[in-house]
Amino acid sequence: MQKRIIGKDLTVSAVGLGCMGMSHAYGNQCTPDEAKKLIETAIENGCTFFDTAEVYGEPDCPHHNEEMLGEILKPYRSKIVLATKFGVKFDVSAPTVNKPVIPDSRPEQIRKSVEGSLRRLQTDHIDLYYQHRQDPDVPVEEVAGVMADLIREGKITHWGLSEVNEEIIRRANAVCPVTAIQNRYHMMYRGYEALFPVLEKLQIGFVAFSPLANGLLSGAYSQNSTFSEQGDYRKAMPQFQADSYEKNRALFSLIQKYADEKNATPAQISLAWLICKKNYIVPIPGTRKLGRLTENLGAADVALTAQEIAEIDKALDKMEMSDVFGGAKIVKK
Ligand SMILES: NC(=O)c1ccc[n+]([C@@H]2O[C@H](COP(=O)([O-])OP(=O)(O)OC[C@H]3O[C@@H](n4cnc5c(N)ncnc54)[C@H](OP(=O)(O)O)[C@@H]3O)[C@@H](O)[C@H]2O)c1
């Protein structure tokens, strides 16, 4: 698979693997055997970029994802880029399906988090360590200072921030150079394109999370799809409500038109649109199914020209769409 450089020097595959869904937010968790098969298949197909977080789990096993990945990735550790995140926990007492997020980036908490992640991931360093959400009580400069210390100590080699705006990026980068932001970005959620100039100026990569709009853009779902498993966030997401499919008909047709032209699938077109837009964008789709995994990784071979990207953007600009999930509520406790 083609590679790209994010930040000044972090080389990753053009499509990464988001591992969250193996443990959190999409219903049934993967067994360790299923996760092993997925991750080994990803590696066989050229994927070198794996994304997790200390909070990807369920209340009975809150660090399920890091623990599982640590074991599976051990033999491949020196050949892959491992990204994880600190700075939030879920409010599991909330009655909603999508659990609110409680930010906590106090330096002493970050120190505890990094030690926990290193232990669970069975590694002596993290390649890319993201602040998962801003903490209104801790200025980003203070967080960046801790990151600089962790880099000096060799516990992490690069750092980034998730769901951030231009001001936060600039302030953080002024203290300790940022390698990547990880923000929500897909055809139904394009507001962060406004960050392209600052990312280019500061040479920061854009890791696109939920690049398939939580799966909707694959075209594999319909008004008859149900999400009844416990903890499946999709049952509350606006884009998966029965009336959304009609509202998104024009979007599905646009994606299908390019899929037909390129002999690709809708998921591949949705991902190729990100990959081909800028050479510092890296989508990290997640899946628990082998066929979908190879399909998604195959998006790196689908070429959309600058003119085709511009045509798609123009069509998206004026298209009516349903609402789409924009993230769990952030609460400070
Ligand atoms: N920084 C943050 O705050 C943040 C937030 C959310 C996610 N993330 C990261 O981003 C990664 C990806 O985001 P995401 O999982 O929310 O959304 P996504 O990648 O847009 O979509 C994942 C969903 O789509 C389905 N899917 C994937 N590929 C498919 C295909 N080819 N055809 C049909 N369905 C397909 C998966 O179902 P199956 O599993 O059943 O295949 C899963 O339910 C996560 O794993 C996580 O690492 C980060």
Side-chain angles (χ1 to χ4, degrees):
M1 188 189 316
Q2 52 156 308
K3 296 273 193 319
R4 35 194 56 188
I5 296 175
I6 50 173
K8 304 208 169 40
D9 63 356
L10 189 61
T11 302
V12 296
S13 50
V15 182
L17 180 60
C19 299
M20 178 184 78
M22 297 177 198
S23 304
H24 173 78
Y26 290 110
N28 287 345
Q29 294 178 326
C30 284
T31 63
D33 282 348
E34 288 165 346
K36 186 167 189 283
K37 190 83 191 110
L38 282 162
I39 284 165
E40 291 185 344
T41 303
I43 292 172
E44 279 159 23
N45 282 270
C47 177
T48 61
F49 190 27
F50 294 87
D51 188 79
T52 181
E54 66 173 336
V55 288
Y56 292 164
E58 294 300 337
D60 59 340
C61 187
H63 309 296
H64 184 263
N65 203 246
E66 281 193 340
E67 280 163 2
M68 203 163 61
L69 257 59
E71 193 58 35
I72 298 167
L73 285 171
K74 207 160 43 165
Y76 309 99
R77 181 66 192 92
S78 61
K79 299 185 185 71
I80 57 115
V81 172
L82 188 49
T84 191
K85 316 183 191 80
F86 66 91
V88 299
K89 59 183 183 203
F90 293 112
D91 180 359
V92 289
S93 67
T96 48
V97 189
N98 300 333
K99 300 296 175 212
V101 163
I102 305 169
D104 183 355
S105 280
R106 288 169 300 144
E108 61 272 28
Q109 182 55 47
I110 299 176
R111 286 275 170 192
K112 271 192 217 150
S113 290
V114 76
E115 294 306 333
S117 289
L118 287 169
R119 194 183 62 252
R120 289 185 290 272
L121 291 169
Q122 304 192 40
T123 184
D124 62 357
H125 73 282
I126 293 160
D127 300 303
L128 180 54
Y129 201 34
Y130 297 103
Q131 184 186 23
H132 212 147
R133 290 290 181 274
Q134 287 304 292
D135 182 340
D137 293 339
V138 183
V140 75
E141 288 82 356
E142 199 173 338
V143 175
V146 180
M147 295 299 117
D149 290 342
L150 293 177
I151 291 171
R152 264 191 299 274
E153 293 163 27
K155 292 182 193 259
I156 70 171
T157 58
H158 303 80
W159 83 291
L161 306 124
S162 181
E163 287 293 73
V164 279
N165 62 26
E166 175 164 351
E167 186 207 332
I168 296 292
I169 294 168
R170 286 188 183 281
R171 283 170 48 196
N173 191 72
V175 177
C176 181
V178 172
T179 292
I181 59 155
Q182 182 180 129
N183 282 8
R184 184 183 311 274
Y185 182 28
H186 53 73
M187 286 187 187
M188 300 175 77
Y189 202 95
R190 294 171 56 213
Y192 289 128
E193 291 182 348
L195 297 176
F196 290 163
V198 68
L199 298 178
E200 284 161 31
K201 181 156 188 349
L202 302 178
Q203 218 184 324
I204 294 173
F206 189 156
V207 175
F209 82 70
S210 302
L212 296 172
N214 309 97
L216 187 82
L217 300 179
S218 68
Y221 303 89
S222 71
Q223 52 270 52
N224 300 320
S225 302
T226 51
F227 305 101
S228 54
E229 285 165 15
Q230 200 181 354
D232 193 333
Y233 280 24
R234 289 172 296 184
K235 79 179 95 166
M237 288 183 183
Q239 73 268 35
F240 289 106
Q241 303 309 306
D243 62 350
S244 90
Y245 297 92
E246 182 58 31
K247 291 179 184 162
N248 291 316
R249 207 141 53 128
L251 175 59
F252 296 142
S253 302
L254 176 75
I255 298 171
Q256 190 61 54
K257 169 173 134 24
Y258 283 91
D260 293 342
E261 278 175 30
K262 302 279 171 181
N263 198 18
T265 68
Q268 289 175 332
I269 294 298
S270 305
L271 297 170
W273 172 78
L274 293 163
I275 300 164
C276 298
K277 184 171 277 216
K278 298 282 181 189
N279 65 5
Y280 54 84
I281 296 177
V282 179
I284 49 165
T287 180
R288 295 160 298 178
K289 301 188 172 68
L290 281 174
R292 293 176 176 180
L293 172 76
T294 48
E295 174 188 352
N296 295 347
L297 297 177
D301 298 325
V302 177
L304 291 170
T305 64
Q307 193 186 333
E308 288 164 339
I309 299 278
E311 280 165 15
I312 295 173
D313 286 354
K314 200 166 153 204
L316 293 174
D317 283 343
K318 49 178 196 241
M319 196 174 273
E320 301 268 344
M321 297 179 197
S322 73
D323 289 341
V324 67
F325 183 57
K329 208 160 98 186
I330 298 174
V331 292
K332 192 67 201 177
K333 286 205 167 170

